[in-house]
Amino acid sequence: MSQNFDRHRRLRSSAFMRDIVRENVLHTDDLIYPIFVKEGQESKTEVSSMPGVFQFSLHELEAEVTELTELGIKAIILFGLPDDKDAVGSGAYHQHGIVQEATRLVKKIVPEMIVVADTCLCEFTDHGHCGVVKNETVDNDESLQLLKKTAISQAEAGADIIAPSNMMDGFVKIIREGLDEAGYIDIPIMSYAVKYASAFYGPFRDAANSAPQFGDRKTYQMDPANRLEALREAKSDEREGADFLIVKPSLSYMDIIRDVRNQTNLPVVAYNVSGEYAMVKAASANGWIDEERIVLEMLTSMKRAGVSLIITYFAKDVATYLKEMRR
């Protein structure tokens, strides 16, 4: 006798059936891999809180980029670690700054590789904040002029995408105007539109040597308790000329990712941040989880929430997983 209820399990009856009805699929093309590049000729240094993530000198960058290409990864985001820092982060916009030199080198090795340049001052300032500091307060408008100079210098070096991460008010508008005036009208902006003042960034600050020397970043990064503020931030950046919108972090902010996705037609990008990476690596090292399954589930859930791209330290791992699954 037929029962009067829905038979949802019909579409889960075999692996092939599940494959053909799968709604969201993770691809290597979805991934952007962060790379930390340092000045000097030292050997690469592993970040203690991020197993498998290294700080590279320029002479070691070719091997890393070649490996990424072989894995099918098409985009990277560059973070610079300078030898010298100052109050205004001049290394961020110097013609021969570490990000600029790394960009030129990557474009020489693999011209088609998409190079995203992180556009901020915090890695280059001696105080560790994302702008010009006056009386222990970050001066928004004066910082914008230096961020514009940074973006233009990165575009001149060959960056394909400018990714401003500073969360100054008006940063997309000023950078877009600067790029256009300098003739870089076709260079897109991947805005860190929604960036929370999150505890999940701890390991990144080890990797980038960018912890603030006083105070915190809560006057310019967002309160994790707020949702509607995120929508206002994203809307402002889109209106000012952003071409992509980043939500950072990702795992605790899936609701925000979906909210942003629902209000924009621009590509939405999740930043799967350092603390999220470190937690999984630590649990895996202790044998508590199946790392491959956890990572694939996490990143697929970001796709399900509505992102088009994922910045992730797991990119090489995921590319390897996917390649093995296709065999």
Side-chain angles (χ1 to χ4, degrees), residues 277-322:
Y277 174 88
M279 290 191 302
V280 171
K281 288 293 184 180
S284 177
N286 280 284
W288 297 336
I289 60 170
D290 181 328
E291 182 177 332
E292 179 176 339
R293 290 185 63 196
I294 288 283
V295 170
L296 291 174
E297 183 175 338
M298 283 192 335
L299 270 60
T300 301
S301 72
M302 296 171 200
K303 291 286 298 286
R304 187 187 67 240
V307 304
S308 302
L309 296 166
I310 304 169
I311 301 170
T312 178
Y313 304 97
F314 288 115
K316 291 200 293 185
D317 294 335
V318 171
T320 301
Y321 301 153
L322 297 178

Side-chain angles (χ1 to χ4, degrees), residues 29 63 260 327:
D29 289 353
V260 173
R327 287 176 181 168

